[in-house]
Amino acid sequence: MDDVLQRGEWIERYAARLLARRPALPSAAALDRARIAWACGGGRLEPERAADEELRRESEAEASA
């Protein structure tokens, strides 16, 4: 990531990616997940990539359950 994104912009972009990939997800839940991802150090990645990785891990967990 060339420029460091501000926290709010990163969270908004992360949540937008979650909502684009999972339209049934409530927007409040997407924002909560984005805030958690930021707090866990997700800001080191582009928000879209971080959201995609979270969704991939979630899908893998669901498939193995």
Side-chain angles (χ1 to χ4, degrees):
M1 188 158 58
D2 293 343
D3 298 326
V4 176
L5 293 175
Q6 294 293 324
R7 177 183 181 272
E9 180 183 356
W10 192 95
I11 288 170
E12 287 176 16
R13 287 175 51 187
Y14 186 102
R17 180 63 142 227
L18 290 179
L19 291 170
R21 302 272 194 233
R22 298 268 169 93
L25 184 67
S27 48
L31 285 169
D32 286 343
R33 288 170 68 170
R35 287 184 192 104
I36 291 167
W38 174 270
C40 292
R44 293 183 299 256
L45 297 174
E46 289 286 336
E48 294 82 7
R49 181 174 174 198
D52 288 345
E53 288 184 11
E54 177 185 343
L55 292 172
R56 179 185 49 77
R57 286 188 304 270
E58 187 177 279
S59 293
E60 289 173 355
E62 290 171 356
S64 66

